[in-house]
Amino acid sequence: MAWLGLGRKRIYMNISRALNKSSFRRVAGSSNGSIYTAQSVYASARCMPDLINHSSVGVAGFFIGTKGDIRCFHASPEVWARRGDEAFGLKAPKKEKYVRKEGRNQPPVEARYVPRNVKAPKSNRDKTVEIFEGMTLVELAKRTGKSVSSLHDILTNVGEKVESEFEPLSMDIAELAAMEVGVNVKRLHSVEGTEIVPRPPVVTVMGHVDHGKTSLLDALRQTSVAAREAGGITQHLGAFVVVMPSGASITFLDTPGHAAFSAMRARGAAVTDIVVLVVAADDGVMPQTLEAMSHAKAANVPIVVAINKCDKPGANPERVKLQLASEGLLLEEMGGDVQAIEVSALQKTGLDNLEEALLLQAEMMDLKARIDGSAQAYVVEARLDKGRGPLITTIVKAGTLTCGQHVVVGSEWGRIRAIKDMVGRLTQQATPAMPVEIEGLRGLPMAGDDVIVVHSEERARMLSAGRTRKFEENRLRRKLNEDTPSSLESSEEVPQRVEMPIIVKADVQGTVQAVTDALRTLNSSQVLVNVVHVGVGPISQSDVDLAQACGACIVGFNIKSPPTALSQAATRAGIKLILHRVIYHLLEDIGNLIIEKAPGTFETQIAGQAEVLNIFEVKRSKSKGPDIKIAGCRVVEGFVARTGTMRLLRSGEVVFEGNCASLKRETQDVDTVKKGNECGLVISDWYDFQIGDVIQCLEQVVRKPKFIKSESGAVRIEC
């Protein structure tokens, strides 16, 4: 019965509160009758507990019998006023007059639909996560943004057993899981090991074309590579070890200097420890010199300047030093930290100073690497040999590369069948900073890929398949983005372009990339260079069949001439074969071919100009039309043709333009009148000639693009 007592107490409190708020608000300024009435009501309210306690019908009966009264006590002041309780000073609110709103029957205004600006979530395809050896499943889940259970299911599906989410994973397993999720990965290799030893420095020689880079290396290793280069310029990325007279060994990378081989120079700067910037003393700083400086600064690699050709009569090393300083490369003589050595590759002078500078720089860097554990290597170049298959030139960065190991290079995999040093001798293993040639891959990787050693063939297959799938997805997405026009392009009128399909074949993978990039720079608003297929090796029958199917021409760079039967088959099919060994000649031939295929643009130009000397009038009957005015002219420039458009100038201003109705010389109709001759000229719908007027003959001409080659070797098509 406790709840019943509580209910009675609440009813009493509510009634008392209502009376206090309503009745005593009026008592202070009311009459005696009003005060008496309020006191009576309040006294009655005080008796309510007794009424509730002694009611024969109980609480329920009380509420049934007094439902209306209780509702009055709890009503709002407006309701009290409507019931006529004026004793408590409440007035009923006045009813406002209903006013009909105008425009109710008008149709609603159609507003433009504005879609919500919902930001699309960032795709996992653009996300790159860093993985390392020994990371746990929890750490991988945090970096990829996926749950631990989903990653655990992925590893179970690929056949990997993970007992705990805190169990360390290998980098191969982490990469497999990340690729299944759809994110890009970046491997962070550890430099720690049980056995860390000093290693030789890796030095990349960079500079402008024909500044003597290869000749300088020839002088250092006492060989003659420059004499065997096609056109006298380097077109490959070469790696070899040079043993100095002091007994120290240095690994050199020779990079090409032509503008088309920018990617090769970037790869050389990415794997090197020191950059030797070769500048000709008689030529100074050139565009590829500045580009080499930017590559070295981007890779955070120290620079040693070698001022070559100091033996030539026009050599000026001081001017070169000032040019380098103006480009932000401060030499030691000017208070900087960059060493500058004056050498001559032809006279073999200054080489000992260059060796000393390189070894000093390497000693300051304290270069060391681990020789235990899995090897890390970098692909310098890749080529396809007819008898040995895919061959890659690599430089080992850490660890030891051994024959028989399973490796994954880019999206290709294989088992190392043979390792050869740069002299061609077989070796069983490769140590850090050692350039070697690896044989045994299933396919040809891209230059610049990393060589990763895995534990089994199954793991190598899985990594290769995942990377191939990821590479294909990225390639298709880039192709889709290129083909999809932007909103700006869609709003403007885009001129129609002629497509020029090309098949590129070269001797090594790096050259294929360089030639492909150089050909794509020849794109113009009139001709689109579409590289439909690239490959390493000689031209085959499948290349001819593909070219015949898509109407492409085949470009072969630094490869053997195809067999006679294959050349004749290409000729019968109307396929053009372009074979070159020098990049200058190749780009020039392709540029001329683009100019021939370009449709050109129509332009109006002034073919000639004539001066009005006299005016003749021919009377005609009214039935035949108005009289004819003939302008007697003398051609003062070029020629006047009857098929051209005539423009009449008077006092230097254009008065009229129209077609030529008649052109005669003496009494004969002629098509053209050349400079110095006189003629009679009639312009359609114009009869107001004056002596001294100038008549210009306009003609439509087709202007072809121009092939422009700069001093640095860069080429472009100008429309």
Side-chain angles (χ1 to χ4, degrees), residues 11-28:
I11 293 174
Y12 175 74
M13 291 175 62
N14 289 338
I15 294 174
S16 301
R17 189 182 298 112
L19 290 174
N20 287 335
K21 288 183 179 179
S22 59
S23 61
F24 285 96
R25 191 178 301 156
R26 171 87 178 158
V27 169

Side-chain angles (χ1 to χ4, degrees), residues 494-510:
V494 180
Q496 188 69 24
R497 293 200 292 182
V498 177
E499 183 177 350
M500 183 177 174
I502 294 177
I503 296 174
V504 178
K505 298 299 290 287
D507 55 345
V508 295
Q509 187 68 48

Side-chain angles (χ1 to χ4, degrees), residues 615-629:
I615 302 171
F616 304 95
E617 185 174 359
V618 178
K619 299 289 186 179
R620 293 197 303 178
S621 60
K622 293 183 179 180
S623 60
K624 293 184 179 180
D627 298 339
I628 299 176
K629 294 288 185 70

